Amino acid sequence: MQWTRLSFAGFSLICMNIACTDKFEAVNTDDHAATEEMMSYDNLKTGSFFKQLQRSVVLFKDGRNLSSDYQVSQGLTSDLYSGYIAPTGSWYNGIHNGSYYFITGWIDKTFRSGFADAMQSWLFLSKAAQEQNLPEVAALGLVAKVEAMHRVADAYGPIPYTGFGSGTSGGDYDALDLVYNQFFKELDEAIDVLTAYAIANPSSQILRKYDYVYSGDPVKWIRFANTLRLRLAMRVVYANPTLARQEAEKSVTNVFGVISDLGDRASLKHSGDLVYMHPLFEIAYNFNEGEARMTASMDAYLNGYKDPRISAYFKPAALDGLYHGVRLGITPASWANYTGNKISNLNVDNSSTEIVWMTVAESYFLRAEGALRGWQMGGDAKTFYEQGITMSFSENKVQGAVAYIANSTDKPSAFTDNVGSSNAAAPSDVTIAWEDGVSDERKLEKIITQKWIAMYPDGPEGWAEFRRTGYPRLLPVVVNNSNGTINTALQVRRIPYPQAEYNNNASGVKSGIAKLGGPDNGGTKLWWDKK
């Protein structure tokens, strides 16, 4: 269903009566299904909506969404622009998102899914939790909602967020700084509620049967929420440094703290209740014999550093047993060689690889950057930086972290196209080992470069961090088909609004563009993109 100029409350009412309810397992019922009273037992009603909300953060084939929904919501946008994944489908002879010519149908799913799936699930969950007087359940919903919707805001900019479901917004967009203020407000509220609940109810569980991430452990949800608040605090550091420090230090000083060990990793766990194939597996192996491969930037950094994680992320090319990537923006006469035995495929299992919302390593790199900025993070930048690398090695089940951390000589390598002639110089000369005597900016490049490697394949986060900091230095597109709207050196900064918004919410999207501060194209920077 597409947006109209109806209020969001009106939209919600429509969704509760027609097609939108098809995607919510607790709502799409018949005369013989559970009654409202029955659904209040054992958290069935709230649990069903919470399950759907978790499924809406990253789309995957689950009976409602398809792997192709992931591809058009993330795989053909942020996964590319983060420098993680190269598109190797033969679509449009390479003149598409990968070369900055946006395909209309490839830029709307993130927006549509965010509102039709994540926000609707949250709205129903919130109302049900309020009816049943379950503030701790509502708090979980807020955390999951922010995790889903900051990805939408970071892709487009201003979005219609703060008035959703209230009937007051009329489809108007909020400026991105106001959206972020609301994110912080919601996380603050959720963390306070969950912290009080966990202290008053030790060893308790919330929605255990419906929680794919932490099996109902409120303390782990608090740590994730604190780390999510820390992530978003760092996102706004160049736009509002005072707010950034305030929210970051608040997260670290919470009694339960932030993510710190492997058990805190936020991911959708495979279980009897959640059996799924990671969408990157199907895209890389089943779609037209492969539509995603290792990028040239990953090739340059991982090969240059002799990084042991390369084997956890990618498979060696069958032809020579080495790792080879693909540059964005190429237009070869034939794509067959780029999906063949000369290029590295993704190392993803069809049944065990988890969809990860947040790695443990990211938490340490966030604290490293905070400490570098002089914030109270509970330690120093060097220690957190090295802990982040160590944890990433552990998360990826590879050895050699100690030697890697001490490596002061290896640098990213020049890229050589193993099929064609799209070669490139090394993107950076940054080394791995911490150096006390270099500038803070050089230290920041080290932190973000290693953070980027550790977060693979989280495209939305990798792309956001590249835009925020300029690191890691990524290889530019070979051909830029944006008609001058995107600077090749700066690279793409956002995704344009969906055509459906222009068709069905013209005044709303107009208000969003006014608050964006520039034209609705891929070259306009977002509010937090100030560096």
Side-chain angles (χ1 to χ4, degrees):
M1 181 172 181
Q2 297 175 332
W3 292 107
T4 69
R5 275 291 289 161
L6 295 170
S7 70
F8 285 106
F11 177 77
S12 301
L13 181 61
I14 291 172
C15 278
M16 291 201 54
N17 285 283
I18 56 173
C20 290
T21 57
D22 292 345
K23 300 191 106 179
F24 303 113
E25 49 201 275
V27 178
N28 188 21
T29 58
D30 58 27
D31 292 340
H32 303 287
T35 64
E36 287 290 317
E37 180 181 7
M38 292 168 60
M39 291 185 75
S40 68
Y41 301 153
D42 197 29
N43 296 313
L44 177 59
K45 187 175 183 180
T46 54
S48 296
F49 291 129
F50 188 52
K51 286 167 64 175
Q52 182 58 34
L53 179 52
Q54 294 169 90
R55 291 170 181 263
S56 301
V57 174
V58 178
L59 303 183
F60 59 96
K61 187 176 182 179
D62 64 349
R64 302 179 238 346
N65 294 304
L66 304 172
S67 295
S68 55
D69 289 325
Y70 170 95
Q71 189 176 34
V72 294
S73 68
Q74 180 171 327
L76 290 168
T77 52
S78 58
D79 284 357
L80 312 186
Y81 307 143
S82 63
Y84 287 149
I85 306 295
T88 50
S90 57
W91 328 279
Y92 306 105
N93 195 33
I95 303 174
H96 51 60
N97 290 20
S99 62
Y100 300 164
Y101 183 88
F102 293 111
I103 303 300
T104 300
W106 293 5
I107 60 173
D108 68 342
K109 187 63 176 180
T110 297
F111 194 99
R112 288 192 294 109
S113 177
F115 288 99
D117 292 343
M119 289 295 278
Q120 285 295 326
S121 299
W122 164 77
L123 184 62
F124 296 145
L125 170 63
S126 179
K127 290 180 177 180
Q130 184 176 13
E131 291 168 1
Q132 298 177 28
N133 192 27
L134 297 170
E136 67 279 6
V137 171
L140 290 186
L142 281 177
V143 176
K145 180 183 78 159
V146 173
E147 165 64 3
M149 293 306 296
H150 89 78
R151 294 167 177 256
V152 179
D154 289 342
Y156 297 95
I159 57 173
Y161 185 75
T162 61
F164 188 91
S166 68
T168 61
S169 71
D172 286 344
Y173 286 41
D174 299 304
L176 190 55
D177 60 330
L178 297 182
V179 174
Y180 260 79
N181 286 340
Q182 185 69 12
F183 288 158
F184 289 128
K185 179 181 177 181
E186 290 171 340
L187 288 174
D188 290 351
E189 176 186 338
I191 291 166
D192 288 347
V193 169
L194 291 172
T195 298
Y197 179 88
I199 291 173
N201 302 275
S203 302
S204 62
Q205 296 176 318
I206 306 172
L207 297 182
R208 181 186 60 82
K209 295 196 302 182
Y210 307 95
D211 182 0
Y212 299 136
V213 181
Y214 291 126
S215 299
D217 189 331
V219 173
K220 293 184 185 297
W221 273 102
I222 293 167
R223 290 174 183 152
F224 169 67
N226 277 322
T227 316
L228 177 57
R229 182 166 59 181
L230 178 57
R231 171 196 280 177
L232 299 187
M234 207 63 73
R235 185 81 82 248
V236 306
V237 70
Y238 292 109
N240 191 335
T242 300
L243 176 65
R245 180 169 187 168
Q246 170 188 312
E247 295 295 331
E249 292 183 343
K250 191 187 304 181
S251 297
V252 173
T253 57
N254 175 273
V255 65
F256 292 109
V258 294
I259 286 174
S260 61
D261 61 43
L262 292 176
D264 295 335
R265 178 183 170 101
S267 62
L268 297 186
K269 308 300 190 293
H270 292 273
S271 67
D273 189 50
L274 183 64
V275 178
Y276 68 92
M277 176 190 298
H278 196 288
L280 283 177
F281 176 86
E282 192 159 8
I283 294 168
Y285 290 92
N286 294 339
F287 285 11
N288 298 314
E289 298 183 355
E291 295 181 353
R293 292 293 184 267
M294 179 186 196
T295 60
S297 290
M298 290 298 278
D299 177 332
Y301 280 94
L302 297 181
N303 278 316
Y305 288 150
K306 303 180 181 65
D307 196 312
R309 288 168 291 185
I310 196 169
S311 62
Y313 293 170
F314 303 102
K315 292 187 175 181
L319 184 66
D320 59 10
L322 302 177
Y323 294 91
H324 302 285
V326 180
R327 288 191 69 182
L328 266 64
I330 60 172
T331 54
S334 170
W335 286 92
N337 287 328
Y338 286 99
T339 58
N341 62 4
K342 295 182 179 181
I343 300 296
S344 293
N345 206 339
L346 314 186
N347 187 5
V348 56
D349 186 82
N350 68 332
S351 61
S352 63
T353 302
E354 296 176 349
I355 291 174
V356 179
W357 291 0
M358 183 177 289
T359 65
V360 185
E362 182 185 347
S363 178
Y364 284 102
F365 289 120
L366 287 166
R367 295 175 77 181
E369 182 177 349
L372 181 66
R373 296 182 181 280
W375 301 352
Q376 299 303 309
M377 294 286 104
D380 63 272
K382 176 179 184 293
T383 300
F384 286 135
Y385 171 75
E386 293 178 350
Q387 286 176 315
I389 295 173
T390 300
M391 190 57 68
S392 179
F393 274 57
S394 295
E395 288 185 87
N396 288 289
K397 298 180 175 61
V398 297
Q399 304 297 314
V402 173
Y404 184 88
I405 289 169
N407 187 337
S408 61
T409 57
D410 285 334
K411 302 174 183 179
S413 59
F415 171 73
T416 300
D417 190 327
N418 204 38
V419 174
S421 58
S422 299
N423 304 326
S428 173
D429 64 353
V430 69
T431 53
I432 301 166
W434 189 260
E435 299 172 278
D436 288 322
V438 299
S439 68
D440 282 354
E441 191 63 27
R442 188 63 162 180
K443 292 173 183 175
L444 179 64
E445 182 175 4
K446 288 177 180 286
I447 291 170
I448 302 302
T449 298
Q450 289 300 320
K451 180 182 181 183
W452 173 76
I453 294 173
M455 291 190 303
Y456 171 87
D458 187 353
E461 200 57 27
W463 182 35
E465 285 298 87
F466 166 72
R467 288 177 287 163
R468 178 180 73 88
T469 66
Y471 306 125
R473 302 178 193 274
L474 300 177
L475 295 175
V477 294
V478 176
V479 176
N480 181 339
N481 285 304
S482 71
N483 293 320
T485 61
I486 300 173
N487 183 303
T488 301
L490 290 178
Q491 304 191 28
V492 62
R493 312 311 288 188
R494 62 180 291 275
I495 302 171
Y497 290 119
Q499 184 60 45
E501 280 294 276
Y502 284 93
N503 296 341
N504 301 317
N505 187 19
S507 63
V509 75
K510 182 178 179 180
S511 74
I513 296 170
K515 294 165 185 173
L516 177 64
D520 183 21
N521 60 42
T524 298
K525 289 188 172 185
L526 302 186
W527 162 73
W528 48 253
D529 187 0
K530 298 291 188 185
K531 189 176 179 184

